[in-house]
């Protein structure tokens, strides 16, 4: 019997096909990660190992169609192996994304049902999805309860679904977490006695409901679809009882049912976690007809934005918004985002603002409530009107739900705005799932408790948790930098550093342009890019304690540090700098005064070290240039 298994395995390696096996294993290109598919009591199971240790223990893959389980009484069939090895330009933590994985499509049978388990294993994680064929006109209701079971001693960081994706992360010991707690993906885990981190989420969410996770009381996170999730407070607040009832019903999927990718990022250290490309690697590239140069297509314009909402700035008049555009140009910002007050304006005022702003090199964005865009004819007429007015971007708000109906609306909005060359910013939104690769004109989405959360007491601790939780899966519009009371237990230097750490191709500042221009550190603020060529998470970083980032834009390096709620000292090595001497402009905390900054100049080489003694919520940012 052993000899037969060996022969079968040799057939698998030689031909890429294997029949009637008990287990299938897919390894990463560097052989460090293995995804194992097997049966247990005739049910479909998987486990994931890293360096020969389980990081996801034996866990069931569970799916049903029309309430009938399809992952029980299963047999594994033939295996088709494939590889992906590509690079593509990216707007985010680095300018080139790399996608290199080994994949296997495994035929699964459950009685008369035949479907495919598609697995991809990268050097930084593993992902899987189910593809269930169906007649083109067939409508079926899917449900899933796949488990992600963590090893004993695992630490987790997650928040619940009460405010949908705008929650405050809490640190948990998975050994003591009781059953029934909700967690909004992505959830970050640290394995015991190691610097191995996991992030569990989903990718390529389309034609399906979005997943949440629920604890099972036995170190497991269970996948839950929208019909099994609690409705968020923001959705209850803004929508009718009829809407709540409709979206609580399971959604039918027509034809073939393809689940989103179920993603487990596996990273040795925080730097590898932050630099993972897995989520967007699992999504299709953009349509060349709509985006002939991909993310470099001319009308897709990453950059900083001014925004009149959280920091005064006068009435929402044409004159005020022209001044905002003028100040945006003075700051070197590309965008001016108007909240709902624009709806009271005559069309002539909008045209006047667009024309004036265009002369200044500034794009105009308009806010709109998503419920106004649910009727296709109304939505398309609105987009056409915006296009004719010269509006460059739309900020669309208040989705607050991950039902398939909402996911379909995202896709319709993205497709129709792309056809008219209008950029998009989603607010009141669900997590990113990498679809910004397919639709690069989605420059950011909220799905984060950001500066709008005025009651957040420990903003320092929150800020140094987000880079290693929410931001791992994609861009987020936190709307950083505020010099007033909203900054809570953070200093001005911390606030300015946050703009260089919170990744968003549309980098919207919450401070008014007047206050940005008046700040002593305005030249530093002007210099911070919204996309980066390279990112290195440096020693001293720890989830919930501190974020220490080195980021490169062209030949310039930035060192940005945010400290958490406890005073902390750092000795930061500048080995990331290239050869030669670099002149630095520095923004430091002012001793004893959190609402002040001290500017300094320095000269450094890659063997230099910067010493920082930071107070609660302290910060630092420096820009290094060759003379």
């Amino acid at each position: 019997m052993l000899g037969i298994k060996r022969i079968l395995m040799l057939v698998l390696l030689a031909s890429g096909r294997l029949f009637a096996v008990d287990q299938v294993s897919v390894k990463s290109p560097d052989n460090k990660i293995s995804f194992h598919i097997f049966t247990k009591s005739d049910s479909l199971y998987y486990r994931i190992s890293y360096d020969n240790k389980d990081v996801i223990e034996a866990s069931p893959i569970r799916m049903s169609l029309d309430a009938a389980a399809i992952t029980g009484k299963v047999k594994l069939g033939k295996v088709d192996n494939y590889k992906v090895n590509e690079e593509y330009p990216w707007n985010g933590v680095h300018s080139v994304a790399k996608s290199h994985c080994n994949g296997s499509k495994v035929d699964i049978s459950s009685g008369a049902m035949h479907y495919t388990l598609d697995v991809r294993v990268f050097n930084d994680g593993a992902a899987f999805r189910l593809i269930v064929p169906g007649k083109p006109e067939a409508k079926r209701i899917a449900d899933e309860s796949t488990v992600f079971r963590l090893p004993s001693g695992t630490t987790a960081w997650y928040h619940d679904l009460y405010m949908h994706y705008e929650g405050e992360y809490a640190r948990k010991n998975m050994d003591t977490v009781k059953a029934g707690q909700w967690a909004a993906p992505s959830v970050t885990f640290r394995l015991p006695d190691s610097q191995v981190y996991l992030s569990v989420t989903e990718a390529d969410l389309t034609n399906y409901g979005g997943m949440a996770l629920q604890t099972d009381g036995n170190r497991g996170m269970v996948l839950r679809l929208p019909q099994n999730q609690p409705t968020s407070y923001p959705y209850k607040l803004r929508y009718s009882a009829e809407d709540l009832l409709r979206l609580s019903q399971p959604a039918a999927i027509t034809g073939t049912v393809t689940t989103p990718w179920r993603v487990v990022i596996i990273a040795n250290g925080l730097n590898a976690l932050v630099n993972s490309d897995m989520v967007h690697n699992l999504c299709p590239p953009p349509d060349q007809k709509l985006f002939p140069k991909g993310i470099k297509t001319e009308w897709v314009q990453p950059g900083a934005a001014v925004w009149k909402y959280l920091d005064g700035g006068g009435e929402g008049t044409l004159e005020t918004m022209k001044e905002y555009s003028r100040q945006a140009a003075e700051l070197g910002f590309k965008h001016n985002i108007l909240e709902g007050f624009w709806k009271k304006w005559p069309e002539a005022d909008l045209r006047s603002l667009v024309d004036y702003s265009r002369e200044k090199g500034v794009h105009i964005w308009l806010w709109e409530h998503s419920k106004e865009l649910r009727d296709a004819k109304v939505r398309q007429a609105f987009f056409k009107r915006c296009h004719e007015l010269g509006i460059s971007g739309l900020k669309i708000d208040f989705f607050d739900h991950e039902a398939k109906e909402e996911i379909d609306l995202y896709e319709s909005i993205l497709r129709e705005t792309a056809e008219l060359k209008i950029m998009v910013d989603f607010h009141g939104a669900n997590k990113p799932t990498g679809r910004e690769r397919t639709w690069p004109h989605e420059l950011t989405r909220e799905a984060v408790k950001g500066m709008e959360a005025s009651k957040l007491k420990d903003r320092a601790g929150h800020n140094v948790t987000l880079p290693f939780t929410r931001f791992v899966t994609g861009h987020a519009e936190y709307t950083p930098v505020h010099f007033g009371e909203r900054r809570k237990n953070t200093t001005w230097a911390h606030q300015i550093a946050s703009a260089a750490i919170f990744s968003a191709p549309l980098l919207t500042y919450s401070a008014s342009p007047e206050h940005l221009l008046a700040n002593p550190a305005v030249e530093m603020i002007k210099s911070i890019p919204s996309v980066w060529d390279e990112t290195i998470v440096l020693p001293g970083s720890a989830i919930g304690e501190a974020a220490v980032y080195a980021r490169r834009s062209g030949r310039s390096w930035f060192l940005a540090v945010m400290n958490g709620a406890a005073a902390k000292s750092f000795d930061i090595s500048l080995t990331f700098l290239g050869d030669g001497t670099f002149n630095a402009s520095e923004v430091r905390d002012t001793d004893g005064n959190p609402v002040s900054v001290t500017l300094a100049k320095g000269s450094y080489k890659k063997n230099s070290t910067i010493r920082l003694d930071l107070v609660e919520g302290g910060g630092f940012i420096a820009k290094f240039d060759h003379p």
Side-chain angles (χ1 to χ4, degrees):
M1 190 67 184
L2 287 173
I4 292 173
K5 285 189 175 181
R6 284 179 185 154
I7 291 170
L8 286 173
M9 193 57 69
L10 287 172
V11 172
L12 168 64
L13 293 171
S15 69
R17 290 172 179 263
L18 176 65
F19 291 83
V21 295
D22 296 320
Q23 176 172 308
V24 176
S25 295
V26 188
K27 290 184 176 293
S28 59
D30 65 4
N31 289 316
K32 288 188 175 182
I33 298 174
S34 296
F35 188 100
H36 307 280
I37 306 154
F38 58 99
T39 58
K40 183 177 179 181
S41 301
D42 292 331
S43 294
L44 189 60
Y45 269 71
Y46 77 104
R47 65 183 178 89
I48 306 174
S49 59
Y50 173 74
D51 276 349
N52 298 314
K53 294 181 180 179
D54 281 357
V55 295
I56 298 291
E57 296 181 347
S59 303
I61 296 175
R62 298 188 186 124
M63 184 175 182
S64 65
L65 289 177
D66 295 331
I70 68 169
T71 49
K73 298 180 180 178
V74 299
K75 292 182 179 180
L76 308 185
K78 73 175 183 180
V79 181
D80 285 334
N81 294 328
Y82 63 95
K83 295 179 183 292
V84 177
N85 194 357
E86 61 180 345
E87 294 184 356
Y88 53 94
W90 190 241
N91 285 331
V93 296
H94 39 238
S95 56
V96 178
K98 297 180 180 180
S99 179
H100 187 198
C101 69
N102 292 324
S104 292
K105 294 182 178 180
V106 184
D107 282 0
I108 310 288
S109 60
S110 176
M113 172 71 72
H114 292 266
Y115 58 93
T116 299
L117 174 63
D118 193 0
V119 177
R120 293 185 185 178
V121 186
F122 301 78
N123 291 342
D124 58 345
F128 61 97
R129 64 178 176 178
L130 296 174
I131 304 170
V132 188
K135 296 179 180 179
E137 70 279 4
K139 291 183 181 293
R140 293 174 292 177
I141 292 171
D143 201 1
E144 296 180 73
S145 55
T146 291
V147 179
F148 303 85
R149 193 164 313 286
L150 287 306
S152 179
T154 296
T155 303
W157 288 266
Y158 60 87
H159 67 77
D160 62 22
L161 300 179
Y162 178 72
M163 291 298 293
H164 203 218
Y165 280 90
E166 297 174 32
E168 189 173 356
Y169 286 81
R171 176 175 171 159
K172 308 271 189 173
N173 179 343
M174 289 299 294
D175 289 339
T176 61
V177 170
K178 296 180 180 179
Q181 292 189 13
W182 289 98
S186 59
V187 176
T188 296
F189 302 94
R190 187 181 68 222
L191 299 187
D193 303 318
S194 78
Q195 286 298 306
V196 175
Y197 294 87
L198 310 183
S199 178
V200 174
T201 188
E202 64 182 335
D204 200 23
L205 172 57
T206 179
N207 194 37
Y208 210 82
M211 85 168 190
L213 296 168
Q214 190 177 29
T215 59
D216 68 359
N218 188 27
R219 294 179 278 106
M221 288 282 190
V222 184
L223 191 161
R224 299 294 190 197
L225 294 184
Q227 63 263 32
N228 303 310
Q229 299 171 14
T231 303
S232 71
Y233 171 74
Y235 193 87
K236 291 178 182 178
L237 180 68
R238 298 180 178 111
Y239 290 90
S240 68
E242 291 77 13
D243 289 323
L244 266 68
L245 179 62
R246 186 180 72 257
L247 293 197
S248 68
Q249 305 304 309
I253 300 169
T254 303
T256 295
V257 177
T258 302
T259 75
W261 291 96
R262 304 329 185 176
V263 178
V264 181
I265 297 171
I266 304 168
N268 188 0
L270 292 175
N271 181 57
L273 182 69
V274 166
N275 277 283
S276 175
D277 290 315
M278 262 191 71
V279 174
H280 42 270
N281 282 345
L282 292 162
C283 295
D287 183 341
Q288 286 196 324
K289 292 180 181 178
L290 294 171
F291 303 96
K293 297 181 182 178
I295 66 167
K296 302 297 184 183
T297 300
E298 287 82 356
W299 60 272
V300 178
Q301 291 280 317
V306 296
W307 176 48
K308 197 194 87 63
Y309 190 66
L310 293 183
D311 194 25
E315 298 297 320
T317 63
L318 172 61
E319 291 72 24
T320 299
M321 286 300 96
K322 282 186 174 179
E323 179 63 5
Y324 263 61
S325 288
R326 186 196 68 77
Q327 292 171 324
E330 188 176 345
L331 287 162
F333 291 7
K334 288 187 177 181
H335 307 285
N336 181 0
I337 300 174
L338 277 63
E339 286 295 311
F341 57 77
W342 71 268
K343 292 189 172 189
K344 298 178 182 179
W345 290 15
E347 196 164 284
D349 282 4
L350 279 174
R351 290 188 184 276
S352 177
L353 177 62
V354 168
D355 291 343
Y356 174 85
S357 301
R358 185 183 293 117
E359 292 175 2
K360 301 291 183 182
V362 174
H363 298 276
I364 295 300
W365 293 59
L366 302 181
W367 178 94
E368 181 60 288
H369 197 308
S370 63
K371 72 179 179 182
E372 304 296 334
L373 305 177
R374 298 182 189 279
D375 182 287
K377 290 184 178 178
V378 173
R379 180 177 69 243
Q380 291 160 14
F382 173 67
F383 293 162
K384 184 179 179 183
R385 178 189 173 210
C386 289
H387 175 73
E388 291 170 349
L389 285 168
I391 300 301
S392 296
L394 292 172
K395 177 180 177 177
I396 303 171
D397 208 346
F398 301 143
F399 293 85
D400 300 317
H401 208 296
E402 279 191 287
K404 179 178 177 294
E405 177 183 309
E406 298 296 299
I407 304 307
D408 292 345
L409 180 58
Y410 281 108
E411 287 292 305
S412 296
I413 289 170
L414 287 165
R415 184 178 304 104
E416 292 161 11
T417 51
E419 290 168 351
L420 294 171
K421 301 181 179 179
I422 297 172
M423 294 174 281
V424 177
D425 166 11
F426 289 122
H427 258 233
N430 61 278
K431 62 188 173 294
T433 64
R435 295 292 291 173
E436 63 270 26
R437 180 185 181 190
T438 308
W439 304 109
H441 67 307
E442 180 195 308
L443 290 191
T444 194
R445 62 172 62 197
E446 189 180 21
V448 68
K449 182 182 281 292
M451 196 61 74
E452 289 187 57
S454 61
K455 296 179 182 179
L456 181 62
K457 293 180 180 178
D458 181 15
R459 188 169 293 279
H462 184 62
N463 283 1
V464 295
T465 301
L466 291 176
F468 315 114
T469 51
R470 165 64 180 85
F471 278 95
V472 170
T473 50
H475 53 216
E477 185 158 61
Y478 181 103
T479 62
V481 186
H482 200 287
F483 302 124
E485 191 271 339
R486 284 178 181 271
R487 64 182 172 75
K488 299 297 183 181
N489 60 335
T490 67
T491 66
W492 276 12
H494 177 117
Q495 286 295 308
I496 296 165
S498 73
I501 292 177
F502 292 155
S503 300
L506 179 69
L507 183 59
T508 306
Y509 283 76
S510 61
S512 70
E514 178 183 4
H515 290 155
L516 293 173
L517 287 163
N519 193 279
V522 62
E523 294 305 316
M524 179 65 74
I525 293 167
K526 288 179 179 181
S527 73
I528 297 172
S530 66
V531 295
W532 299 92
D533 292 318
E534 186 177 355
T535 296
I536 304 171
V537 180
L538 296 175
S541 297
I543 302 177
E545 297 179 24
V548 185
Y549 273 43
R551 309 194 90 164
R552 182 177 62 81
S553 176
R555 297 184 64 193
S556 297
W557 280 96
F558 288 76
L559 173 61
V561 184
M562 297 189 301
N563 192 33
K568 196 171 184 179
S569 296
F570 303 82
D571 289 298
I572 302 171
S573 172
L574 304 185
T575 52
F576 55 86
L577 295 177
D579 292 332
T581 301
F582 286 75
N583 291 337
S585 300
E586 304 174 28
V587 178
R588 295 175 175 263
D589 290 327
T590 299
D591 288 345
N593 188 357
V595 292
S596 176
V597 291
T598 298
L599 307 183
K601 298 287 186 181
S603 180
Y604 298 96
K605 294 183 178 181
K606 64 181 181 181
N607 60 355
S608 303
T609 299
I610 287 182
R611 169 78 179 188
L612 297 176
D613 297 306
L614 298 185
V615 297
E616 174 186 2
F620 171 87
I621 183 169
K623 183 184 182 216
F624 302 87
D625 291 298
H626 274 299

